[in-house]
Amino acid sequence: MSDGFEFDLIVIGAGTGGNGVARMAAAEGWKVAIVDRLPYGGTCALRGCDPKKMLVGVTEGVERARAMDGKGLIAEPRIDWAEMMAFKRTFTDAMPGRIEAGHDRAGIATLQGSARFTAPDTVEIDGRAWRARHFHIATGARPATLGIPGEEHLITSTDFLELPECPRRIVFVGGGYIALEFAHIAARAGAETVTVLQRGPRILPNFDPDLTAILAEATEALGVDVHTGAAVSGIAREGNAFAVQYETPDGPKKVVCDVAVHAAGRVPNIEDLNLEAAGVDATKRGIKVSPAMRTSNPAIFAAGDCADSGPNLTPVSANEARIAAKNLLANQDERKIVYPPIPSTVFTLPPLGSVGLSEAAAKEAGHDFDVHFERTERWYSSIRVSAVASGFKVLVERETGHILG
């Protein structure tokens, strides 16, 4: 290439927010490279959504059989942890090779290593410099640094998905998606004690409190010990176990476990990129982007969890990436991201979902609306499957009849 550029585009991050951009640019004849320090596929496909749902799929079988016990179904279901993990790997092990093979067919150079900007048009990847006319950043998120003594003893959600056996005693630090989903998996897989320590007053604070209360009941009925108002202050090794210390309104307490899991939130994975050298502005919330997904450096775009943009959900990342690619190829901001009401689900059993405004947000926005909330355990749809925890809440605007959430 002229002017010393090896590529028209280098994409940093081979997950949902990056792969599509690389393919779209290559299809238009651009010379493209993509780089990741981890196997290609990103968090959702390899270390998050998809493998988690495969484990949930196994636990659904156990839950359904237990719910129907004594109602005509005779079964004593149990989970073989090693077989369940092997089932998960039938999907995750094949994914990186499939993605790289697709890039090879498209003429995309697949690089492996950690990328770091050394200039607005240059990145260094494991000691070698590469220049490009444009860059697209899609490095996702990482577990937040908690700043507590003994933090190094925590395993991540990625580690949990690779555990060779189900821990006998497990503690989840945090009370969001990761904690609740994995707690349900571990409890159904036979863990003796499963504990969730949530700093705030309730689990899943971004979801409706009435519906969350139903899920909390079901979670505790499963045998998961949920503590709210429990701020973890440190983790210490005790022989072959770990003591997780936490503060409560009643004073300090501790719980002993074999495994402690970091489930206290994620932050943009951007610290190692040296964005200042690229002229890219960022805050703790992520890389600053315009509605066109363009950064403060016009030649660099960003999308997904590393950007200060929409909700950190895989379909959102994919849509942001499409907008970025369209504008990148057009060499102008002809498309802008629009975030419609976006559904979100916690894949516990029962699952909890939401879309649109919460009751609190609707009130804050000044809407005049009716609230329709009901527990539905006695509905036929629940009785038929022996569901003992079910319900709904719908917010309806009085003047228009529109559903707000």
Side-chain angles (χ1 to χ4, degrees), residues 186-228:
R188 290 186 173 91
E192 291 181 16
T193 61
V194 180
T195 305
V196 172
L197 301 176
Q198 165 68 337
R199 174 188 293 270
R202 64 184 181 88
I203 58 171
L204 299 168
N206 294 329
F207 284 80
D208 179 82
D210 293 321
L211 298 179
T212 301
I214 298 175
L215 178 58
E217 289 177 17
T219 301
E220 291 172 353
L222 181 62
V224 177
D225 195 9
V226 177
H227 296 271
T228 55

Side-chain angles (χ1 to χ4, degrees), residues 166-181:
C166 182
R168 187 168 65 88
R169 300 169 298 178
I170 186 166
V171 169
F172 293 93
V173 178
Y177 287 85
I178 293 172
L180 269 293
E181 291 172 343

Side-chain angles (χ1 to χ4, degrees), residues 149 153 234-238 241-246 254-257 260:
H153 297 310
I235 305 163
R237 183 179 288 279
E238 285 193 357
F242 299 96
V244 180
Q245 294 130 359
Y246 60 101
K254 78 171 184 178
V255 58
V256 177
C257 62

Side-chain angles (χ1 to χ4, degrees), residues 127-208:
R128 178 173 177 178
W130 300 88
R131 293 186 70 212
R133 299 179 187 277
H134 302 278
F135 292 88
H136 175 71
I137 305 171
T139 49
R142 62 166 180 84
T145 301
L146 304 182
I148 58 174
E151 183 173 0
E152 68 275 10
H153 297 310
L154 290 170
I155 72 168
T156 66
S157 56
T158 299
D159 300 324
F160 178 90
L161 288 167
E162 296 297 332
L163 287 173
E165 58 186 20
C166 182
R168 187 168 65 88
R169 300 169 298 178
I170 186 166
V171 169
F172 293 93
V173 178
Y177 287 85
I178 293 172
L180 269 293
E181 291 172 343
F182 286 176
H184 274 235
I185 290 169
R188 290 186 173 91
E192 291 181 16
T193 61
V194 180
T195 305
V196 172
L197 301 176
Q198 165 68 337
R199 174 188 293 270
R202 64 184 181 88
I203 58 171
L204 299 168
N206 294 329
F207 284 80
D208 179 82

Side-chain angles (χ1 to χ4, degrees), residues 19-45:
N19 285 321
V21 176
R23 288 193 296 268
M24 289 175 68
E28 293 298 316
W30 285 32
K31 188 173 183 181
V32 179
I34 188 167
V35 59
D36 205 310
R37 66 180 182 84
L38 295 173
Y40 279 31
T43 297
C44 184

